[in-house]
Amino acid sequence: MVGNIAVTEKLSELIVNSRPEADPQVMAAARSGVLDYLTSTIAGGKDQEGNSLLELFSSDTYNPNLVKVIGINRYADFQHAALLNGYLGHVLDYDDVHSSSRGHPSTVILPALFAISKTKNVSALDFLAAYVIGVETMCRLGLAIGASHYESGWHNTATLGAIAATAACVRLLNLNSDAVNCALGLAAAQSSGLRAQFGSDGKPLQAGLAARTAVFTSMLTAKGFEAASNGLDGKTGFFAAYGSDKTIVSNLTKDWGNPWQIVDPGLWFKSYPCCSASHHAIDAVFALISEHQLHELENDQIANIEAIFPPGGDTALVVTNPQNGIEGKFSLEYVIATALIDGKVGIKQFSKQNIEPRVKTLMNRINRRYDEKIEPLSIAIPPGRFTIVTITLKNGATYSKRVDRPHGAAGDPLTIKELHRKFLDADTDGHFAHVPDLVSEMETHEDLVRLITSL
Amino acid sequence: MVGNIAVTEKLSELIVNSRPEADPQVMAAARSGVLDYLTSTIAGGKDQEGNSLLELFSSDTYNPNLVKVIGINRYADFQHAALLNGYLGHVLDYDDVHSSSRGHPSTVILPALFAISKTKNVSALDFLAAYVIGVETMCRLGLAIGASHYESGWHNTATLGAIAATAACVRLLNLNSDAVNCALGLAAAQSSGLRAQFGSDGKPLQAGLAARTAVFTSMLTAKGFEAASNGLDGKTGFFAAYGSDKTIVSNLTKDWGNPWQIVDPGLWFKSYPCCSASHHAIDAVFALISEHQLHELENDQIANIEAIFPPGGDTALVVTNPQNGIEGKFSLEYVIATALIDGKVGIKQFSKQNIEPRVKTLMNRINRRYDEKIEPLSIAIPPGRFTIVTITLKNGATYSKRVDRPHGAAGDPLTIKELHRKFLDADTDGHFAHVPDLVSEMETHEDLVRLITSL
């Protein structure tokens, strides 16, 4: 309870009555989020032939009751379109992250919104506003429930995402606050997802299931199904079960929209489709290339490369000797070598293709080292992290670069131009070249339908 | 971890390799469970016209890809048939309970099994064995996770039921232990349901959703989808997130099937379709009627009736002045008055009909009292509970009866004959008169299909 008002009720009022569409900066941030989600999803849809999830729950035959699976020629019912578009958005781990939520908001919220957008005569601006409300809900759930939720094994993307995406959907469907209150409780009662699935296909599946929960719950509530009100409150509600004694329930609604979480601290859009723990090193290599004209180097001029981390700073980079691009996503050695040789770290660099011999040769000259004496900067993202890359040439020359916060992270976001370039890199065959402009400009219901039907 | 073997792995081996079908007593207990679940579900299907859940996710048009919704003329896809049959099985709260699981096993496990039974050429005996494995899994999850799970707000029927029903389904589908290991982890990652929904339609919905999770997960795993193994273990697995420091993970597999939980302590089949906290009083009234020929009484011969509880023993019986049979489910006064007047407490007594004036007149003469000095017996179910009913006539005669464990509960189960009578009471129009014998005798695949298609 917050004062005498249950927090679920208070949240419902905010979901129904907030007007983020009035703020151009907020709407611009939402358009960037939509574009970046579509980038990740279109990239994720490549090479999915034979995936049992797609085979079971989608079809290559269109009928008007089905919704498009983004980026591939398949269709699914409302619920499973949300599931599959959530799965594909997260399958490469290329989608946005928000620090307040300790998870990936857009790959849960947007697939749910896309699935239900044709059912109502809503405008593209309504769609963007509902998305902002969803991100705000997810971030505030994260700020309320605290770090212990993630630490206990929960996968915030899925657990908090299910409730947040439901908030977005009921907002888009224009339900009243009593119905929203009930929908939030039902979504909380379906909240699930465990970090035990990290490193497996279960991880993106959990994002998709959370999106499905939102579609199921909002459809059911819109049809008049009634359930308990105030399902986040009390001794048998969401925070009691999923929280800890460090949970601060009032954070759910305190300073709501002031500023909007999608703007400040904002979504982190990834620059590279690989483990975020490797992004510092990649940024360092590109800085060295540009500052010292290293692209003119011949491969065999490099004597060795050293990467220095704080102790544990490379824990996620578990692969030292990858055999193909997919394994390379979690390899420091691969991303450094391929950045130097290709001058690019994009979708193509992480395909199923075997790694070229000249990349392997360079990988063998890379070493990792840990230095607990170097202080991380206060701007470091994640906190306490940095990477220093030092390249030594056979002629004795040495070039070194330190990165504490990769480009794209909060405080140093990707520019619109960079987001467009990222999209073009993912849209390898140019099928979706119209999408960036449409996302930047869409306003009406017709614009929204044009976007959805062209994905 | 149990010793050096992860507990998920150990559970998978038991699910795959156990042979409960060899024990006739176990199979008989399973047949009783199936019959009682069908009783509750057929009763639950009455008066459901206009229910938004049924309207959204089932259709009155048959096609061969759909599964029957039990008891009513509607059909749904595999997943939603499980959801709806789980919902209808639990909507009256008339379905079985198992003390080890602190929940209702059959209304989650059986709807999931029914939904997938046509897809494989499985026999009725395979079906019953899979059900026994599901009940065992759910009870052992309850014994492992401990009381704190329920106390923290979780709805065990749904949280543990989702994993247990998945265990039953993968057993029926004859998956190997690696696939089972993966399926258990995926089910755990979808485990959800909160007690905040108690008293609303969200409660039976949660049972249905758990059944849907089992169908979804087992279909996906059978199709080859791979996820993390050992999803119950470790710092980011099921027990870490849903348990507490009182969780004893080894209870999950210790003494598995020795004896089978479906036999000892066994399922509690409810004698009456109303709150179980009122069953002691109803049993007491029926004992008094039979011992003292009270059925020959005229209503106005009764001066007053007193019901004595331990302090808090009637907490669940929140309604003192019900207006109709549905409200009467949670009214001590209504069940005592209707037992005396109708001589019966069945489905008919809990309809939407308004309560008759003569029942109301008698209800007004009933009082509740609490006595902390009376010691509950060690056999009491639930522990610490009893009810003493004392009827005083206008002629001064006084009749008193104490009940500590209602008939039907573990240690005093309903007989087969009583289960058949309960079924006939639910099958008001006699459409399903063939079911009790078929459930008692079914053995082959053809028997099973005959049962499923006739529901």
Side-chain angles (χ1 to χ4, degrees), chain A residues 79 189 193 196-197 206 212 228 236, chain B residues 79 189 193 196-197 206 212 228 236:
Chain A
Q79 289 191 65
Q197 293 299 332
Q206 290 177 162
R212 185 180 73 166
T236 58
Chain B
Q79 289 191 64
Q197 294 298 332
Q206 290 178 165
R212 185 180 73 166
T236 58

Side-chain angles (χ1 to χ4, degrees), chain B residues 161-178:
Chain B
I163 304 172
T166 300
C169 287
V170 293
R171 161 74 183 221
L172 191 67
L173 295 174
N174 204 19
L175 303 193
N176 67 35
S177 57
D178 285 346

Side-chain angles (χ1 to χ4, degrees), chain B residues 19-68:
Chain B
R19 290 288 165 262
E21 53 271 55
D23 184 333
Q25 196 190 0
V26 173
M27 288 293 103
R31 291 179 196 276
S32 293
V34 172
L35 181 61
D36 196 68
Y37 160 75
L38 292 174
T39 304
S40 311
T41 310
I42 288 167
K46 314 283 182 196
D47 302 325
Q48 290 290 352
E49 290 80 23
N51 183 311
S52 46
L53 194 64
L54 284 157
E55 289 191 352
L56 269 174
F57 300 114
S58 68
S59 150
D60 53 13
T61 316
Y62 173 74
N63 87 50
N65 294 322
L66 300 180
V67 177
K68 189 72 182 19

Side-chain angles (χ1 to χ4, degrees), chain A residues 253-270:
Chain A
T253 54
K254 192 183 153 200
D255 295 328
W256 170 275
N258 188 25
W260 290 98
Q261 291 276 330
I262 200 169
V263 170
D264 182 9
L267 295 164
W268 174 357
F269 302 123
K270 284 188 168 183

Side-chain angles (χ1 to χ4, degrees), chain B residues 8-235:
Chain B
T8 324
E9 228 168 282
K10 209 168 166 186
L11 177 61
S12 303
E13 293 292 341
L14 291 168
I15 290 167
V16 170
N17 295 322
S18 299
R19 290 288 165 262
E21 53 271 55
D23 184 333
Q25 196 190 0
V26 173
M27 288 293 103
R31 291 179 196 276
S32 293
V34 172
L35 181 61
D36 196 68
Y37 160 75
L38 292 174
T39 304
S40 311
T41 310
I42 288 167
K46 314 283 182 196
D47 302 325
Q48 290 290 352
E49 290 80 23
N51 183 311
S52 46
L53 194 64
L54 284 157
E55 289 191 352
L56 269 174
F57 300 114
S58 68
S59 150
D60 53 13
T61 316
Y62 173 74
N63 87 50
N65 294 322
L66 300 180
V67 177
K68 189 72 182 19
V69 181
I70 294 172
I72 58 181
N73 285 322
R74 298 189 74 87
Y75 306 86
D77 63 50
F78 291 104
Q79 289 191 64
H80 290 97
L83 188 159
L84 294 171
N85 288 329
Y87 172 83
L88 293 177
H90 197 45
V91 73
L92 300 179
D93 232 316
Y94 196 21
D95 54 312
D96 62 57
V97 180
H98 197 294
S99 56
S100 302
S101 72
R102 285 186 181 76
H104 300 258
S106 301
T107 198
V108 182
I109 298 166
L110 288 172
L113 287 175
F114 276 122
I116 63 165
S117 282
K118 277 206 298 186
T119 61
K120 276 251 178 176
N121 189 27
V122 294
S123 74
L125 294 180
D126 295 334
F127 179 95
L128 294 168
Y131 170 43
V132 172
I133 298 284
V135 172
E136 190 74 9
T137 303
M138 182 152 168
C139 292
R140 300 209 148 271
L141 283 167
L143 295 170
I145 206 158
S148 63
H149 180 68
Y150 187 87
E151 287 160 6
S152 301
W154 303 106
H155 181 199
N156 290 27
T157 298
T159 54
L160 310 185
I163 304 172
T166 300
C169 287
V170 293
R171 161 74 183 221
L172 191 67
L173 295 174
N174 204 19
L175 303 193
N176 67 35
S177 57
D178 285 346
V180 172
N181 191 342
C182 153
L184 291 172
L186 279 178
Q190 296 167 75
S191 167
S192 60
L194 290 171
R195 288 202 290 127
Q197 294 298 332
F198 281 20
S200 87
D201 248 10
K203 188 183 187 226
L205 176 64
Q206 290 178 165
L209 285 164
R212 185 180 73 166
T213 292
V215 170
F216 173 81
T217 306
S218 58
M219 284 171 71
L220 191 58
T221 315
K223 187 90 178 173
F225 188 87
E226 288 181 12
S229 54
N230 296 323
L232 306 182
D233 297 85
K235 287 186 182 171

Side-chain angles (χ1 to χ4, degrees), chain A residues 90-320:
Chain A
H90 197 46
V91 74
L92 298 178
D93 232 317
Y94 196 23
D95 54 313
D96 61 57
V97 180
H98 196 295
S99 56
S100 301
S101 72
R102 284 185 182 76
H104 300 257
S106 302
T107 198
V108 182
I109 298 166
L110 289 173
L113 287 175
F114 276 122
I116 62 165
S117 282
K118 274 207 299 186
T119 60
K120 277 249 177 177
N121 189 27
V122 294
S123 74
L125 295 179
D126 295 333
F127 179 96
L128 293 168
Y131 169 43
V132 172
I133 298 282
V135 173
E136 188 74 10
T137 303
M138 181 150 170
C139 292
R140 299 208 149 272
L141 283 166
L143 295 170
I145 206 158
S148 62
H149 180 67
Y150 187 87
E151 286 160 7
S152 300
W154 305 104
H155 179 199
N156 290 28
T157 297
T159 54
L160 310 185
I163 305 173
T166 300
C169 287
V170 293
R171 160 76 183 220
L172 191 66
L173 295 173
N174 204 20
L175 303 193
N176 67 37
S177 58
D178 285 345
V180 171
N181 191 341
C182 155
L184 291 171
L186 280 176
Q190 297 167 75
S191 167
S192 60
L194 290 172
R195 287 200 290 125
Q197 293 299 332
F198 281 21
S200 86
D201 248 9
K203 188 184 187 224
L205 177 63
Q206 290 177 162
L209 285 165
R212 185 180 73 166
T213 292
V215 170
F216 172 81
T217 305
S218 58
M219 283 172 73
L220 191 57
T221 314
K223 188 89 177 174
F225 188 88
E226 288 182 12
S229 54
N230 295 325
L232 306 181
D233 296 86
K235 287 185 181 170
T236 58
F238 178 73
F239 287 111
Y242 293 78
S244 73
D245 52 7
K246 286 179 195 128
T247 293
I248 303 168
V249 176
S250 59
N251 279 350
L252 186 60
T253 54
K254 192 183 153 200
D255 295 328
W256 170 275
N258 188 25
W260 290 98
Q261 291 276 330
I262 200 169
V263 170
D264 182 9
L267 295 164
W268 174 357
F269 302 123
K270 284 188 168 183
S271 304
Y272 319 109
C274 54
C275 178
S276 64
S278 70
H279 288 206
H280 308 68
I282 302 170
D283 277 2
V285 170
F286 285 138
L288 290 173
I289 289 175
S290 135
E291 288 167 21
H292 305 287
Q293 284 77 49
L294 296 190
H295 52 267
E296 291 166 15
L297 270 184
E298 288 300 318
N299 203 353
D300 60 5
Q301 292 177 258
I302 295 174
N304 66 69
I305 301 172
E306 187 178 62
I308 307 175
F309 298 90
D314 66 338
T315 307
L317 301 170
V318 287
V319 183
T320 53

